[in-house]
Amino acid sequence: MKNLRLIIGLLGILVVLACSDDDTIKDPIFEFISFQNESVTINENGGSIEPIPVVLRLMGYEPTEDIRVDLSVTNTNVEEGIDYELSSKSLIFKSGSFISDTLFVSTIDNEIGTDLERSFDIRIENISKPEIKVGLGIENPTNAVMKVVIADDECTETISVFDGALTNQTPWGTHDINGSVNGSVVTLVGNLITYSPFSNATLEVTLTPDLDGGTKGSVTFDDFNAGTDSDGYEYQFRQVGSGSYDVCSGEIHVGFDVYYMSGGSWVYWYTTNNTITLQ
């Protein structure tokens, strides 16, 4: 009987050793946490777009206690707080749940146009139960990272679009004028006040974007000596209200009072509101 027990024991040891040397034998049960999608695209249109919900899924394991998952973000031509916002950077699997709570991704309409891809990666960084694997699959796990692509809604032009032939619309008529751009200053030349004796008026306006690289902004100028008409009268333009521009629509809006020189003093004549557009 003792010999039989010894033989059985030796056989057991051999089986264990054989199994230990067999690298192909794997545990048939695996636990994974992953994103549901590898990528998602979200439009930039700010408040007009509902935030995109993002959740994680848990496979092969039913939690008996809450599991916390921490996330990290890697940006490509975007910046958090300027291009997008995340409601959180950690998600929780409640006890007994295979789906995490929800992370919301929203975009910010920042008026910046670019031809470059604008995206960011959300990555599973840490799991409070470390024995659970990240991503689906043992050798080449997938869905451990989710890519969020922001679809830009701005054009990629700059204020250089105003360099050339333009159309000037006033309350009394529409006229062809010319623009030339130097840095942030646009020089407008032509019939700016619908007055034929003064068809060569000049006005320099400064275009300032609402934020660096933006396609929209303000139009300003100081009291500007606009030139002399064919009758010899000198003119000055003085801005009224807030001017604006939009590169994507190719428009400049600016209003100003028209003054002329008489007896050594500037005399108010009338006010004009101009819409200047690309031809």
Side-chain angles (χ1 to χ4, degrees):
M1 180 65 69
K2 292 182 179 179
N3 290 337
L4 178 61
R5 290 178 180 175
L6 177 61
I7 292 171
I8 293 173
L10 290 173
L11 288 174
I13 293 172
L14 290 173
V15 169
V16 170
L17 292 175
C19 290
S20 299
D21 293 335
D22 187 357
D23 294 334
T24 64
I25 295 177
K26 299 181 182 296
D27 188 340
I29 300 175
F30 303 101
E31 296 82 30
F32 303 96
I33 287 179
S34 71
F35 290 97
Q36 290 188 314
N37 300 297
E38 290 186 0
S39 66
V40 64
T41 298
I42 179 171
N43 292 325
E44 184 188 291
N45 306 61
S48 64
I49 299 296
E50 291 292 326
I52 297 295
V54 176
V55 296
L56 300 174
R57 58 181 173 175
L58 173 58
M59 299 186 67
Y61 173 77
E62 182 176 353
T64 57
E65 58 185 19
D66 290 357
I67 299 174
R68 177 188 176 95
V69 181
D70 296 320
L71 307 171
S72 64
V73 178
T74 303
N75 295 318
T76 301
N77 301 313
V78 294
E79 185 175 345
E80 186 175 356
I82 294 179
D83 299 281
Y84 68 91
E85 292 180 335
L86 302 179
S87 61
S88 177
K89 287 186 180 176
S90 64
L91 293 173
I92 302 294
F93 286 89
K94 297 293 186 183
S95 175
S97 177
F98 297 98
I99 300 295
S100 72
D101 57 6
T102 304
L103 161 69
F104 290 98
V105 181
S106 57
T107 55
I108 300 172
D109 196 357
N110 57 18
E111 301 172 0
I112 297 176
T114 178
D115 287 325
L116 302 174
E117 179 187 278
R118 302 174 64 230
S119 65
F120 57 96
D121 291 338
I122 306 176
R123 184 182 306 274
I124 298 174
E125 188 71 23
N126 181 64
I127 301 174
S128 63
K129 194 174 180 61
E131 58 268 31
I132 298 178
K133 300 172 180 64
V134 176
L136 297 176
I138 297 298
E139 296 181 355
N140 297 298
T142 61
N143 290 19
V145 179
M146 189 181 76
K147 182 177 184 178
V148 180
V149 178
I150 298 177
D152 208 342
D153 65 346
E154 279 89 24
C155 63
T156 58
E157 304 290 346
T158 66
I159 65 170
S160 61
V161 298
F162 299 114
D163 196 340
L166 305 171
T167 297
N168 178 44
Q169 180 180 347
T170 77
W172 306 279
T174 301
H175 315 279
D176 293 339
I177 64 172
N178 288 298
S180 59
V181 178
N182 182 14
S184 62
V185 176
V186 180
T187 301
L188 305 170
V189 179
N191 194 342
L192 301 179
I193 61 173
T194 308
Y195 183 53
S196 56
F198 194 31
S199 59
N200 63 338
T202 300
L203 175 62
E204 292 182 356
V205 297
T206 299
L207 307 188
T208 305
D210 293 334
L211 70 161
D212 290 342
T215 58
K216 299 178 182 179
S218 62
V219 177
T220 58
F221 68 90
D222 295 328
D223 295 352
F224 190 84
N225 293 332
T228 305
D229 69 11
S230 59
D231 296 325
Y233 285 94
E234 297 178 50
Y235 289 83
Q236 187 179 86
F237 298 155
R238 302 179 184 179
Q239 184 168 2
V240 174
S242 300
S244 64
Y245 76 92
D246 185 337
V247 167
C248 295
S249 64
E251 293 184 348
I252 296 174
H253 299 274
V254 62
F256 51 88
D257 292 335
V258 179
Y259 284 78
Y260 66 92
M261 179 65 73
S262 177
S265 299
W266 291 113
V267 178
Y268 170 78
W269 190 10
Y270 63 91
T271 300
T272 179
N273 289 293
N274 295 29
T275 299
I276 298 161
T277 57
L278 305 179
Q279 287 191 4

